[in-house]
Amino acid sequence: MKHLNFLTSEKAHPGLLLLIALGVAVFSIMLPGRFLTDSTFMSMAFQLPELGLLTLAMFIAILSGGLNLCIIATANLTALFIAWVLLNFMPAGAGTGLQLLWLVMALVGAALIATLIGVITGLMVSRVGAHPILVTLATMMTVNGIGIWLTRGAAVSGMPDVVRALGADTFLTIPLPLWLFFATAGLMALFLGKTRAGKCIYMGGSNINATWFSGVNTHRLLILVYVISSLLCVLAGLVMMARFNSARMGYGDSYLLITVLAIILGGTDPNGGFGRVTGVVLSLIALQILSTGFNLLNISQHFSLAMWGAVLIVVLGLKFFKTKFTHSRAVRRSTLLARQAGLTKKKEV
């Protein structure tokens, strides 16, 4: 099956590596003394994790053959819950150790909220049989409505020191959020590639009915997928809250399109069953380099957003024609082999 061939493949991502190299080279020439600087790369390192964690949340849903439009709403709602707990219940003047303890307790509560969202989404997709786009669109609207109603659309700001440190501090000159992103990406790669559940996700994305008849409980599998996706949103919400020093419904709304673009650009099949975490990480690095370069060139963010959409259309078109060409070539090859076998039989007779 294609997911097993994919897992055992040692093939790298030369196209993405070339795109990264070209991006660095072009922006270094166009922006001498501005792009290849410590401050630029440090800025990219702080910006990448929040988009990266949201992309991983979308990635596992797409890998299973579905989609999760609720990732940003879930991230913002759980961030609001964490902020509410820390600002209303944590004792004033608490030390670093006590702040960490309260942060962990707030994260546990946020994880419970995310799990509830994931379970409801998974049940609707697996048991009711509703399309993931419709289900996650409904959950996105519901979660957004709840968050805006509770906060009246305002931002909750003034985070404690432990949260601000997560968004600003470094370890071995690498930002803490980037460590969190790489650790999460590594764990997800191990989960998908080495565990039975991970391999079943690939199988379900390839053919959900065949996976069911092979003895896998696909209902539980889809619930697991959307629970994991929602839990990754908790980490993304924490990182966004730490970087902005506030939480609000509406943060990161522009990321939804870019997460899908990064996943498709990283080689993931939009129909599910095929994709690698390494490809997603490399595509995120490439997109971050392009985004930073465009910002330094003072290109409008609205134009950049339109360009991301156009790139996604082009990538999907190229994938379609590549698949069609590969299929037609395989048909021609099988026809030729059949003819050769027929000629061989006639000669033997």
Side-chain angles (χ1 to χ4, degrees), residues 68-70 73 117 120-121 124 130-146:
N68 190 356
L69 299 177
C70 193
I117 295 172
I120 292 173
T121 304
M124 290 293 294
H131 197 283
I133 291 179
L134 297 176
V135 174
T136 56
L137 179 63
T139 54
M140 178 186 71
M141 294 173 65
T142 303
V143 170
N144 269 328
I146 292 172

Side-chain angles (χ1 to χ4, degrees), residues 23-29 31-41 44 292 296:
V24 172
V26 169
F27 288 127
S28 299
I29 295 171
L31 298 162
R34 294 179 60 196
F35 186 77
L36 284 180
T37 61
D38 292 341
S39 60
T40 298
F41 283 100
M44 287 192 288
T292 301
L296 291 175

Side-chain angles (χ1 to χ4, degrees), residues 90-91 93-104 160-163 165 169:
M90 189 176 70
T96 303
L98 188 57
Q99 287 187 22
L100 279 172
L101 178 61
W102 274 98
L103 178 60
V104 170
D161 294 339
V162 67
V163 175
D169 286 359

Side-chain angles (χ1 to χ4, degrees), residues 235-302:
L235 297 179
L238 175 64
V239 170
M240 283 195 292
M241 181 177 66
R243 199 164 78 88
F244 297 135
N245 192 29
S246 63
R248 183 176 71 86
M249 300 304 296
Y251 280 165
D253 280 347
S254 62
Y255 286 156
L256 192 61
L257 169 66
I258 304 176
T259 60
V260 177
L261 173 59
I263 291 165
I264 305 303
L265 189 63
T268 302
D269 189 337
N271 297 314
F274 188 94
R276 293 179 70 181
V277 174
T278 51
V280 173
V281 171
L282 288 175
S283 67
L284 283 166
I285 294 172
L287 291 175
Q288 184 62 62
I289 290 172
L290 294 176
S291 177
T292 301
F294 293 150
N295 286 336
L296 291 175
L297 289 171
N298 294 321
I299 294 176
S300 169
Q301 290 185 354
H302 301 293

